[in-house]
Amino acid sequence: SHEPSEPVFHTGEAPSFAFAFDIDGVLLHVAKPIPGAQESLKYLQDNNIPFILLTNGGGKLERDRVNDLSSKLGVELTVDNFVQSHTPFQELTRGPQGLGDKTVFVTGADVQKCREIAYSYGFKSVVTAADILRDHPDIWPFDALMESVYGGSAHPLPLPLHTGEHMHDSTALKIDAILVFNDPRDWALDIQIIVDLLVSRQGILGTYSAKNGDRSLPNDGWQQDGQPPVVFSNSDLFWSTTYHQPRFGQGAFQAALDGVWARVTGGKELVRTSFGKPFVETYRFAERVLNEHRAKILSMGKMSGKEMAPLRRVYMVGDNPESDIRGANEFASPQGTEWTSVLVRTGVWRPERGEPAHKPKMLVDDVKAAVEWALKREG
Ligand code: G3P
Ligand code: MG
């Protein structure tokens, strides 16, 4: 298969379609570009055909990840056409129910980076496991092993909360929300702290809510005593890396937490808030980002002055039926844009794993074939 020789849109009308590309398993295997990825993005860019990158990855500031991707993929990317798993967390800081002025516990692979990302979104009081370990070293009996990991990034905990109740120590820490930014590294410590917070009274670390202690209460006794909500940025059980078999993602961490929660609560389901693909909040957020980006490049590009047709179709190119394909298939765009799912064979899904759990509109070998198929269809 080869690229069309002539630019497809030489007549100057603005394309009414665009692309959303998943990253891991479509464009990259971790740091390694997948064959055809660079030339496909470059072709779209040279022909002013809008696209965004829409990934369940995370753990870095948007601008840092985008700079990293630009150099790896050899195309100029900006935060204008980039949405990662926790990018929509920015909206959690705003509004009357906003968390901007509350105290949040954050975690992920690099907890200090998660704190910096949270600050960049407007969170003002951010606590990590490093801070908690420093002031409560006995909260996890193996903290000595963690010194090397957390020692350098511990911040003082927010000012002690005078709860008016006798605390075993005066630095009562109240957490108002738990935010998982990307795949935690230290599942044991994170699960210990998160469950401590979820059984606490009002999110005060070290307390135990009588409600949760009393099993005679109706089923909704759990997480009903003002415990902090737990917010995840990604539910991928697997993701595609340079290893030849898919690796566990944040969805596996959630499954481990679910297992511990069920044991602690006698079988209760963990109430959570989920972002990332396939969830509608993420697709709605991504469509807004795509529309703004499209308006910007079409007004700057050769199409300037031309009436810009509304965005009719987005080709969602992904490797994971559970996130990329399901999300596009199920998304009902508020503006009526059709999201067409295209599954590639370079990532999580493999034919030997049986039929994809969510059927794509089109199944192709790789991202290059996906772009060619879409352009032919639009041409
Ligand atoms: O942690 C990244 C992984 O969960 C999937 O990323 O780019 O395939 O959505 P992506
Ligand atoms: Mg992927």
Side-chain angles (χ1 to χ4, degrees):
S1 56
H2 60 282
E3 293 293 337
S5 52
E6 278 298 300
V8 176
F9 291 91
H10 47 73
T11 54
E13 81 279 9
S16 60
F17 66 97
F19 290 85
F21 293 107
D22 172 49
I23 296 179
D24 294 300
V26 172
L27 300 173
L28 293 174
H29 282 135
V30 186
K32 205 161 141 266
I34 290 172
Q38 292 177 318
E39 64 184 282
S40 301
L41 295 185
K42 186 116 182 49
Y43 179 85
L44 295 177
Q45 209 148 56
D46 293 348
N47 286 277
N48 247 6
I49 298 171
F51 64 85
I52 57 167
L53 301 191
L54 175 57
T55 176
N56 275 353
K60 286 184 179 169
L61 286 165
E62 273 74 13
R63 65 170 181 273
D64 292 344
R65 184 76 204 277
V66 153
N67 291 338
D68 180 51
L69 288 166
S70 295
S71 63
K72 287 197 176 74
L73 289 166
V75 286
E76 179 58 33
L77 296 165
T78 71
V79 292
D80 291 345
N81 62 337
F82 176 69
V83 175
Q84 60 183 342
S85 61
H86 44 70
T87 308
F89 282 8
Q90 300 168 25
E91 299 185 330
L92 299 177
T93 61
R94 299 170 197 146
Q97 306 300 321
L99 293 168
D101 299 325
K102 302 284 179 61
T103 298
V104 295
F105 172 76
V106 304
T107 191
D110 178 329
V111 296
Q112 182 52 23
K113 280 216 178 89
C114 295
R115 184 187 342 249
E116 285 157 18
I117 300 165
Y119 284 150
S120 78
Y121 290 171
F123 291 97
K124 296 188 186 54
S125 175
V126 183
V127 169
T128 72
D131 313 339
I132 292 174
L133 263 186
R134 192 189 69 162
D135 283 22
H136 303 279
D138 51 348
I139 198 166
W140 184 243
F142 307 108
D143 71 305
L145 306 180
M146 302 298 158
E147 188 47 38
S148 55
V149 174
Y150 293 111
S153 73
H155 286 198
L157 287 174
L159 290 176
L161 183 89
H162 299 291
T163 57
E165 80 177 39
H166 177 68
M167 291 295 298
H168 65 288
D169 67 47
S170 62
T171 58
L173 169 68
K174 180 174 177 350
I175 294 291
D176 299 301
I178 298 157
L179 303 171
V180 182
F181 275 74
N182 73 324
D183 309 3
R185 180 189 310 283
D186 185 354
W187 289 21
L189 178 58
D190 283 328
I191 289 177
Q192 178 67 76
I193 292 175
I194 290 172
V195 173
D196 280 342
L197 291 169
L198 291 176
V199 298
S200 73
R201 204 180 62 68
Q202 306 286 330
I204 299 167
L205 188 65
T207 62
Y208 189 84
S209 159
K211 263 196 175 190
N212 294 335
D214 176 355
R215 305 229 172 138
S216 63
L217 285 175
N219 276 356
D220 68 356
W222 295 98
Q223 292 183 281
Q224 299 291 319
D225 195 8
Q227 287 81 7
V230 55
V231 182
F232 295 101
S233 67
N234 158 352
S235 300
D236 290 349
L237 181 59
F238 294 114
W239 66 298
S240 172
T241 68
T242 44
Y243 190 69
H244 65 286
Q245 296 291 357
R247 299 296 77 194
F248 283 148
Q250 196 179 136
F253 170 73
Q254 290 188 47
L257 175 59
D258 287 342
V260 170
W261 181 250
R263 290 290 302 276
V264 167
T265 61
K268 291 292 169 290
E269 174 92 12
L270 178 65
V271 173
R272 78 200 74 200
T273 302
S274 297
F275 286 86
K277 300 168 286 182
F279 300 102
V280 65
E281 291 77 7
T282 286
Y283 278 85
R284 203 172 284 150
F285 187 95
E287 189 170 81
R288 279 205 305 275
V289 169
L290 178 51
N291 280 319
E292 284 160 22
H293 173 66
R294 177 173 178 260
K296 195 169 168 185
I297 62 166
L298 294 187
S299 60
M300 280 180 339
K302 298 185 278 274
M303 324 297 175
S304 52
K306 300 270 176 197
E307 186 50 38
M308 189 172 72
L311 183 62
R312 175 180 42 81
R313 186 181 299 280
V314 178
Y315 291 96
M316 172 77 228
V317 183
D319 70 298
N320 188 335
E322 297 292 342
S323 58
D324 308 309
I325 307 308
R326 175 177 185 177
N329 289 352
E330 294 179 356
F331 178 53
S333 157
Q335 63 182 40
T337 301
E338 184 62 38
W339 282 66
T340 301
S341 56
V342 186
L343 179 61
V344 296
R345 292 188 174 91
T346 51
V348 166
W349 180 77
R350 292 293 159 91
E352 65 265 23
R353 289 186 168 226
E355 280 301 298
H358 297 272
K359 196 169 166 27
K361 294 291 185 302
M362 185 63 184
L363 172 60
V364 293
D365 282 342
D366 55 26
V367 62
K368 184 166 181 283
V371 169
E372 285 173 351
W373 170 74
L375 291 180
K376 217 154 131 206
R377 193 167 185 268
E378 294 291 339

